[in-house]
Amino acid sequence: MRKLLVCVLTVAWATAIIGCGDTGTKTDTEKEFLKLSKQYSARFYEKMTTQAETMQPVQVTAEAARIWDEVFSPHKPVLTKRVQEILNDLDTCPPLQEDLYNEVASGARVEPPADQPQGIVLKQFLWNPIGAAQMGLNNWLAGLLQQQSFGMRSVMAANAPMFWETTDRTIDHPKLVLRQGPMIYAVDLTRKDDYYQVDKIRWLRPKSMGPVVMPTPPADAQPPAAPGTLPAAPGTLPPAAGTLPPAPTPPAPTPPAPATPPEKAPAKG
């Protein structure tokens, strides 16, 4: 659930940049898309404002996908034209000098997280190649990185935007590139009807940064305790390697309680 929410929020933030970055004259397609987006938003909030508190976050996201499909499915040509405009507006990524990079990791088809609604396509994010690439990358990194690293990357992304570029604007098979400082993420996509799915992701790191080194615990870190044991008392040292722990000291015997003297029988008169 946590990873799905992080991915959804990050994609929503990234997609919002598309709508607010251009202050020039809107095209006819953009105006029509905005009109449909307002219909979608109005329907969503009309229902969710009174019902969301009784639903799980995943259910809210699934309902949003259903409403999106109701509004936009009859207008797929508008979506197609808007997608092409978005791809045309992306900066062109300069050719990558592959010999200057190490491939940290790569992945084929990225599956949605386990807590995503099954059988439902989240088209409110995936209609857009940038949203689909961002969600696919987030899901992939969530399964690849340690929780602390993934969380810190999300914090950095929330504080400063990263901008997608393209090496191929073909609407059915676009190829996008995201730069995170000196590192690069390359995402290949395929358009399926009116939404995108991720075909491949590559994470490239400059060779000048040295090899990828997994974080190691500090020298004074205590080894993890065996399951079911309590941590050592503060200030104690762990046993030497290869030695057995000392036998537990048996508790001192509890002294018997003093005997209670029997009651005296009443004297006869």
Side-chain angles (χ1 to χ4, degrees):
M1 179 72 71
R2 179 191 66 83
K3 290 179 179 178
L4 174 61
L5 289 178
V6 169
C7 295
V8 165
L9 292 174
T10 305
V11 173
W13 175 84
T15 306
I17 293 179
I18 302 169
C20 65
D22 183 13
T23 58
T25 303
K26 291 181 173 61
T27 66
D28 291 340
T29 298
E30 192 173 359
K31 292 177 182 177
E32 183 63 22
F33 177 83
L34 182 58
K35 180 180 177 181
L36 294 171
S37 295
K38 290 180 178 180
Q39 290 181 25
Y40 159 70
S41 181
R43 290 192 194 182
F44 175 76
Y45 284 107
E46 182 179 359
K47 183 171 185 178
M48 290 298 106
T49 299
T50 58
Q51 298 185 24
E53 291 187 2
T54 65
M55 303 169 67
Q56 296 294 325
V58 160
Q59 293 174 311
V60 174
T61 302
E63 184 63 15
R66 187 190 66 79
I67 296 173
W68 172 276
D69 219 29
E70 282 185 358
V71 173
F72 280 92
S73 285
H75 303 279
K76 291 182 180 181
V78 175
L79 278 178
T80 299
K81 292 179 181 179
R82 183 68 190 123
V83 166
Q84 191 63 70
E85 288 179 346
I86 290 171
L87 288 171
N88 291 341
D89 286 342
L90 287 176
D91 291 339
T92 299
C93 177
L96 299 177
Q97 294 182 262
E98 294 275 348
D99 59 322
L100 299 180
Y101 293 88
N102 287 320
E103 185 177 274
V104 179
S106 63
R109 179 68 50 81
V110 177
E111 298 298 331
D115 54 359
Q116 180 170 312
Q118 297 300 311
I120 297 178
V121 179
L122 304 183
K123 293 183 182 180
Q124 67 268 40
F125 308 114
L126 303 181
W127 71 271
N128 183 334
I130 294 177
Q134 188 72 62
M135 178 169 269
L137 177 61
N138 291 345
N139 290 340
W140 184 64
L141 289 175
L144 188 67
L145 298 176
Q146 296 180 357
Q147 182 174 342
Q148 182 178 1
S149 298
F150 180 77
M152 183 51 65
R153 185 182 185 278
S154 300
V155 170
M156 291 191 295
N159 279 277
M162 292 177 280
F163 296 93
W164 288 91
E165 301 171 338
T166 181
T167 58
D168 190 337
R169 304 176 198 275
T170 304
I171 191 169
D172 290 330
H173 299 283
K175 296 181 179 181
L176 306 186
V177 172
L178 184 70
R179 296 181 183 273
Q180 180 186 331
M183 293 189 293
I184 290 176
Y185 302 95
V187 182
D188 296 354
L189 302 158
T190 293
R191 193 164 193 247
K192 185 176 180 180
D193 194 12
D194 57 348
Y195 69 93
Y196 282 92
Q197 59 188 19
V198 173
D199 288 333
K200 185 178 181 180
I201 294 180
R202 299 177 68 208
W203 176 3
L204 303 178
R205 172 187 167 106
K207 293 180 179 178
S208 59
M209 293 179 66
V212 179
V213 179
M214 298 301 292
T216 56
D220 58 350
Q222 298 292 331
T229 61
L230 296 176
T236 60
L237 297 176
T243 60
L244 296 176
T249 303
T254 303
T260 303
E263 295 182 2
K264 294 182 179 181
K268 297 181 180 180

